[in-house]
Amino acid sequence: QVQLVESGGGLVQGGGSLRLSCAASGDTDTIIYMGWYRQAPGKEREMVALLYNNIDSDTRYHESVKGRFAISRGITYNTVDLQMNSLQPEDTAVYYCKARSRNYSFWGRGTQVTVSS
């Protein structure tokens, strides 16, 4: 089992920045990747950014956030941060941290990000 605790989020004006952080605990040696997903009202949950636990620390981004968001290791190896710049109202959503092992997906409780126009 992997437990995820998210922090960050909140309300920001369009063009502003926010930083999310997710700390994993438990069976962290089994994690293949960690990352962030988001779900806006009435929409399906979508991948925002992923960080793989491989030699190259590969990353993946949703097309809409490339050049604006950056995922990275946080203060510890099992912490993942998402720096969000140039935020737009369409980025408004609940952001969820995810950790994926070989057989399971683990989710955080979510944190609200609201961008005003």
Side-chain angles (χ1 to χ4, degrees), residues 46-66:
E46 64 181 11
M47 184 275 292
V48 177
L50 303 178
L51 178 62
Y52 286 81
N53 287 350
N54 57 12
I55 293 175
D56 295 327
S57 295
D58 290 327
T59 58
R60 285 180 58 194
Y61 292 94
H62 191 280
E63 192 65 32
S64 68
V65 307
K66 286 182 180 178

Side-chain angles (χ1 to χ4, degrees), residues 9-90:
L11 173 65
V12 65
Q13 282 191 328
S17 299
L18 283 174
R19 189 175 186 89
L20 306 180
S21 185
C22 176
S25 60
D27 295 331
T28 57
D29 289 346
T30 66
I31 295 174
I32 296 173
Y33 67 77
M34 290 181 64
W36 292 90
Y37 285 64
R38 67 186 180 187
Q39 188 166 19
K43 295 187 177 181
E44 293 187 354
R45 192 173 296 189
E46 64 181 11
M47 184 275 292
V48 177
L50 303 178
L51 178 62
Y52 286 81
N53 287 350
N54 57 12
I55 293 175
D56 295 327
S57 295
D58 290 327
T59 58
R60 285 180 58 194
Y61 292 94
H62 191 280
E63 192 65 32
S64 68
V65 307
K66 286 182 180 178
R68 300 188 298 124
F69 291 11
I71 191 168
S72 63
R73 298 274 176 222
I75 193 169
T76 68
Y77 185 82
N78 292 316
T79 300
V80 172
D81 293 344
L82 183 68
Q83 178 65 40
M84 304 184 293
N85 300 323
S86 301
L87 282 160
Q88 304 164 5
E90 49 266 41

Side-chain angles (χ1 to χ4, degrees), residues 89-111:
E90 49 266 41
D91 294 316
T92 295
V94 178
Y95 283 69
Y96 296 92
C97 181
K98 175 184 176 181
R100 174 72 188 178
S101 67
R102 184 179 297 275
N103 297 312
Y104 301 100
S105 291
F106 304 93
W107 294 91
R109 299 180 65 177
T111 184

